[in-house]
Amino acid sequence: SAHSHGLVIYILKAAHTMQASTSMRGTSLRGSPFQAKPVRVSRVGRVGAVTVEANKKVLKKTKVILTTDVDGVGMTGEIKVVPVGYWRNYLLPNARAEIASSTVLETIRKAKEDVIRKRLEEKAQAQAFANALSTIAKFTLKKKTGDKEQIYGSVQASEISDAIYQQTGRDLSGAEFVVPEIKSTGTYECQVRLHPEVLATFSVVIVRDKSLTVKVTETKAAKK
């Protein structure tokens, strides 16, 4: 600590001053009982003892697991080595961490394995469905069109999601779709993200809904 370090410096300076003072007087240390004590071997030994004790205090640390985010230390779940005093005076009373005992570390290891296993299973399921979408290949949507097969309105992701649900029974209403700009009938390549690492590709076929076909010329004539 700063106090112990200051004490060591003070003792060394005092010993040096007394030795210099005795030398200036031309007398030996042994001949001066008043000045003999500060430079005895036992004094030097005490200085060493103070230094060792200070070092021991600095080295006292413990391994903990953070139970909340701690500024300047780490995030929740991280294992950190911190000074024992910091652990006892701040982390422990404020429930910010707990000792990383072998039992706790084993529990964390198993929990991480379970999470990894679950993620792998989810990815595998997503990949399997992506393969199914590619196998089905095409999902058909009927749209109202004009004379030149131009569709009215646009194709929404919800329409594609409904078409997939009707053929597969899988609800993708909350999934992220990538749909190109569709203005007329035809076949278009679309994508849907089933997992952070799985992007499925499939085709959407836009066909004319004959029951809703409207001729542009008739529409203009009616307006006139």
Side-chain angles (χ1 to χ4, degrees), residues 12-215:
L12 290 175
K13 283 185 176 180
H16 177 73
T17 301
M18 291 180 181
Q19 183 176 10
S21 176
T22 302
S23 177
M24 288 176 64
R25 288 175 182 153
T27 57
S28 66
L29 294 177
R30 185 172 299 178
S32 177
F34 176 76
Q35 297 183 16
K37 291 183 179 180
V39 294
R40 285 170 54 189
V41 175
S42 59
R43 279 289 185 181
V44 176
R46 287 179 62 186
V47 172
V50 172
T51 303
V52 172
E53 184 179 355
N55 289 339
K56 284 183 178 179
K57 288 182 179 179
V58 172
L59 294 176
K60 283 185 179 179
K61 294 186 177 182
T62 187
K63 185 182 292 185
V64 301
I65 300 174
L66 301 179
T67 54
T68 62
D69 293 349
V70 180
D71 293 340
V73 180
M75 300 178 67
T76 303
E78 290 186 335
I79 299 174
K80 296 291 182 179
V81 176
V82 299
V84 173
Y86 182 62
W87 151 251
R88 290 177 179 172
N89 299 326
Y90 177 72
L91 296 179
L92 177 60
N94 290 286
R96 307 300 296 272
E98 57 183 70
I99 292 295
S101 64
S102 57
T103 302
V104 173
L105 291 175
E106 179 65 15
T107 301
I108 291 176
R109 184 187 67 79
K110 290 182 178 179
K112 286 183 177 180
E113 288 182 352
D114 291 341
V115 170
I116 293 173
R117 187 182 302 108
K118 183 178 179 181
R119 287 178 178 174
L120 290 175
E121 291 175 354
E122 291 175 348
K123 182 180 179 181
Q125 292 174 0
Q127 188 60 60
F129 189 65
N131 295 338
L133 291 179
S134 298
T135 301
I136 296 173
K138 296 179 180 180
F139 296 89
T140 303
L141 292 179
K142 293 181 179 181
K143 301 291 291 184
K144 181 173 70 172
T145 64
D147 283 342
K148 296 182 180 181
E149 301 300 321
Q150 298 293 314
I151 67 172
Y152 285 91
S154 60
V155 176
Q156 303 295 322
S158 58
E159 296 177 271
I160 299 175
S161 175
D162 289 341
I164 292 175
Y165 179 75
Q166 290 174 11
Q167 289 187 244
T168 67
R170 179 75 174 270
D171 183 9
L172 297 179
S173 57
E176 176 189 349
F177 282 85
V178 179
V179 182
E181 186 177 9
I182 301 175
K183 293 184 177 181
S184 61
T185 57
T187 301
Y188 299 86
E189 184 178 275
C190 300
Q191 294 180 313
V192 60
R193 185 164 295 284
L194 303 173
H195 181 274
E197 299 177 17
V198 179
L199 188 65
T201 301
F202 57 94
S203 295
V204 171
V205 180
I206 307 298
V207 299
R208 182 177 62 181
D209 188 339
K210 295 180 180 180
S211 62
L212 297 174
T213 300
V214 178
K215 290 185 178 181

